[in-house]
Amino acid sequence: MFKKQTNFNHRTNNHQPVEVNIGDRFPLTIKRLGINGEGIGYYKRKICFVPHALPDEVVVVEVTETNTHFLRGKIHSIRQASEYRIEPRDSYANEVGGFELEHLEYSQQLKFKRDLIQQSLEKFQPRGFKHYEIKPTIGMENPFEYRNKAQFQVRMVADHVAAGLFKTGSHDLVDLPTCAVQIPITMKVMRQVVKIIESLAIPIYNEEQHSGIIKTLVVRVAQGTDEVQLTFITNSPKLPHKRELLDQIRTQLPEVTSIMQNINKGESPLVWGEQTVHLAGKEAITETIGPLKFRLSARAFLQLNPTQTKILYSETAKALDLAPTDNLVDAYAGIGTIGLTLAHQVAQVRGMEVIQEAVDDANFNAQQNNINNASYEVGTAEELLPKWLDDGFFIDALVVDPPRAGLDQQLIESILSARPEKFVYVSCNPSTLARDLVSLTNDYKVAYMQPVDMMPQTPKCEVVVKLIRL
Ligand code: SAH
């Protein structure tokens, strides 16, 4: 059902001028889903993006944006619905980001993610792309209640404290009283804290006036230990009624084992500031993955889906196929979860990561698990890898797990000069993966790609790529 994007450039570059105005309506047949999970159709050969429309549907579109290259519209009505359209569990799924596919049957979401990789490869055309083996996406048995972290904005809405997400393309907050993809304890803590904040009348951040205190609430649960960390992100180091706030949390929410405050004075959309202060309980929570324990600080990254993380890491281990004499580099290491999980299979692990707290966690995690052949350093992969190579460190195996931006060109050059025999790329963005493969396939061949669904109900796609040195 998901058609390939073979002729994207041809179709958009050669379009005829189309006279379309905002508010115009026309019927449109949806051909496929785009990278953001939106439906794509062609109106007089011009590409038209329609959020929440599904392949093979005929919808009446109302135009919301016109542009020389594309049209965007919303569904006015559905003339012919997809057989895979379902009722989303969250009533606000069409309003806020993060629920783009909740109206699509799960089996089709998994097919879409595999198709997305195909589309990205066709766009960037890395060497041999037509012959890559893309395995079926490994999905979840129950693709709900999986997210270990809720990061909600807090604002006053109609005289009440609301905690939720912004409406797509705006700063209008939608309150989220329930959320089907969150692990339930994260929502229970979030909603109770909102009640406590409201009862104590703690000032809430006001964007227009850049006044008030509480901006964002972050609740993260460690599924292996049930420990919960709560972080208040605030506009100032002040936190009025702090003592009452902490007292009430202690009595009403005993599951919260760590309370932190992060100060972000900026008006920028960045959620986290540089300064994190300990308020109560422990400074961090402890997650488990297999037999290992991982300390996790508030600012450190950890995969959002603990159930699928185990699968992602076992696919990574399988693809790396390590030997006891190997030196392994764990690049973009977070709290060291990938490298430490593999340390017993190799001679040595070295990793790097830009967030200091995460690196401290990673080194602490090596120690607390009695792993003495692993160490982590603060810095970018693109700076540290060439430095280690210059110092004479020999790399047999490399795993990279970059953020959505993918690999830095300088890092790619170092990889191509070091040419580690074993190389696995864990990607959370098929576009930058396909782009990076254009250079990497000068020296490596893609053995296979294994998509793993880490974010059901969203268009986000994670894939483990096994590379073989040529
Ligand atoms: N492998 C870890 C973390 C992956 S997320 C896990 O599975 O949990 C990517 C990590 O890369 C984040 O922790 C981020 O802080 C870090 N990062 C971002 N840019 C980086 C860079 N240029 N060099 C090294 N690490 C970077």
Side-chain angles (χ1 to χ4, degrees):
M1 77 184 251
F2 298 104
K3 302 253 165 60
K4 292 176 186 167
Q5 181 183 350
T6 39
N7 257 334
F8 183 85
N9 290 331
H10 171 76
R11 281 180 119 139
T12 49
N13 291 345
N14 294 347
H15 63 79
Q16 307 291 317
V18 191
E19 186 59 43
V20 185
N21 296 307
I22 290 176
D24 284 0
R25 287 182 194 160
F26 48 78
L28 192 73
T29 302
I30 303 300
K31 299 291 184 195
R32 60 189 163 83
L33 293 179
I35 53 170
N36 300 311
E38 70 284 65
I40 290 178
Y42 293 88
Y43 180 66
K44 298 187 180 158
R45 310 195 76 200
K46 193 165 184 174
I47 192 163
C48 182
F49 299 103
V50 190
H52 311 293
L54 295 175
D56 296 333
E57 289 190 328
V58 181
V59 295
V60 175
V61 174
E62 183 175 316
V63 176
T64 54
E65 189 182 341
T66 66
N67 179 303
T68 37
H69 299 295
F70 63 84
L71 301 172
R72 192 180 299 280
K74 60 180 183 192
I75 298 178
H76 172 261
S77 57
I78 301 177
R79 284 203 180 159
Q80 196 185 309
S82 161
E83 59 180 308
Y84 302 115
R85 178 175 281 279
I86 55 173
E87 192 59 37
R89 291 199 188 180
D90 294 299
S91 58
Y92 47 77
N94 291 356
E95 286 178 61
V96 300
F99 307 85
E100 292 82 352
L101 299 180
E102 218 179 79
H103 59 300
L104 177 62
E105 207 176 81
Y106 189 54
S107 63
Q108 301 302 307
Q109 294 185 23
L110 297 176
K111 280 192 186 158
F112 160 69
K113 295 193 183 190
R114 187 175 176 279
D115 184 65
L116 206 56
I117 298 170
Q118 191 84 51
Q119 280 188 41
S120 302
L121 293 172
E122 275 161 14
K123 186 164 172 212
F124 288 94
Q125 314 217 329
R127 183 171 305 191
F129 75 95
K130 287 191 180 141
H131 307 291
Y132 295 174
E133 181 195 356
I134 311 176
K135 300 190 179 203
T137 314
I138 303 175
M140 296 187 79
E141 217 162 285
N142 171 23
F144 291 97
E145 300 189 350
Y146 66 82
R147 274 183 80 111
N148 56 12
K149 178 163 138 176
Q151 187 160 299
F152 288 175
Q153 303 303 322
V154 185
R155 298 289 182 274
M156 292 307 288
V157 175
D159 291 335
H160 282 286
V161 180
L165 301 170
F166 292 130
K167 246 186 209 168
T168 311
S170 85
H171 272 204
D172 295 342
L173 194 76
V174 178
D175 192 39
L176 267 54
T178 60
C179 183
V181 297
Q182 288 292 337
I183 294 177
I185 187 81
T186 61
M187 289 307 287
K188 181 191 164 204
V189 171
M190 180 72 72
R191 297 317 300 186
Q192 194 61 29
V193 172
V194 165
K195 276 191 200 157
I196 298 172
I197 294 172
E198 181 157 320
S199 71
L200 294 172
I202 299 175
I204 301 303
Y205 182 62
N206 179 313
E207 235 162 285
E208 274 144 38
Q209 294 165 9
H210 192 52
S211 63
I213 306 284
I214 296 180
K215 284 178 153 175
T216 308
L217 286 177
V218 185
V219 180
R220 179 146 73 168
V221 61
Q223 215 187 25
T225 58
D226 289 334
E227 290 183 341
V228 176
Q229 182 173 62
L230 167 66
T231 306
F232 294 93
I233 300 182
T234 59
N235 186 31
S236 117
K238 282 183 290 186
L239 189 52
H241 304 291
K242 192 193 296 182
R243 184 140 26 98
E244 296 100 306
L245 175 67
L246 297 178
D247 276 352
Q248 292 202 21
I249 293 169
R250 189 172 45 238
T251 51
Q252 295 175 31
L253 292 166
E255 53 273 74
V256 175
T257 55
S258 167
I259 309 180
M260 308 295 284
Q261 179 180 2
N262 176 271
I263 297 137
N264 178 12
K265 293 181 188 164
E267 285 177 57
S268 79
L270 278 179
V271 176
W272 291 81
E274 284 302 316
Q275 196 190 350
T276 307
V277 182
H278 175 226
L279 295 181
K282 297 189 213 163
E283 294 213 16
I285 51 176
T286 299
E287 181 56 293
T288 59
I289 298 176
L292 302 184
K293 289 197 280 189
F294 290 93
R295 183 178 84 184
L296 176 59
S297 293
R299 265 190 84 201
F301 174 89
L302 183 65
Q303 305 288 346
L304 285 168
N305 184 332
T307 310
Q308 293 296 85
T309 298
K310 296 184 189 86
I311 294 172
L312 185 74
Y313 290 175
S314 74
E315 286 300 327
T316 304
K318 190 160 78 181
L320 276 168
D321 192 18
L322 296 163
T325 52
D326 285 342
N327 281 346
L328 168 69
V329 167
D330 176 8
Y332 306 88
I335 58 167
T337 41
I338 296 183
L340 298 178
T341 308
L342 298 170
H344 67 284
Q345 297 185 26
V346 296
Q348 195 185 346
V349 178
R350 270 205 199 182
M352 81 289 270
E353 154 68 49
V354 286
I355 306 271
Q356 175 76 56
E357 290 96 315
V359 172
D360 293 344
D361 286 346
N363 285 318
F364 178 86
N365 289 331
Q367 236 177 45
Q368 74 166 340
N369 291 294
N370 301 315
I371 294 170
N372 345 329
N373 63 342
S375 66
Y376 288 85
E377 275 182 47
V378 188
T380 65
E382 54 273 23
E383 280 166 12
L384 286 179
L385 194 78
K387 188 169 159 275
W388 294 349
L389 292 168
D390 281 351
D391 293 347
F393 185 64
F394 185 83
I395 302 171
D396 303 278
L398 169 67
V399 54
V400 296
D401 183 12
R404 289 182 63 74
L407 306 181
D408 186 276
Q409 195 55 38
Q410 202 184 327
L411 178 65
I412 294 181
E413 279 160 30
S414 303
I415 295 171
L416 293 179
S417 73
R419 293 173 42 88
E421 184 199 341
K422 301 170 184 179
F423 180 18
V424 169
Y425 189 145
V426 181
S427 163
C428 59
N429 183 347
S431 288
T432 54
L433 169 68
R435 178 203 68 196
D436 293 345
L437 284 175
V438 172
S439 328
L440 293 172
T441 49
N442 286 325
D443 274 356
Y444 287 87
K445 156 176 132 190
V446 171
Y448 65 82
M449 302 176 126
Q450 176 61 70
V452 178
D453 191 18
M454 300 295 286
M455 303 273 257
Q457 321 306 334
T458 81
K460 298 262 167 66
C461 172
E462 191 94 12
V463 54
V464 176
V465 184
K466 179 179 172 75
L467 293 147
I468 296 178
R469 190 171 63 185
L470 291 172

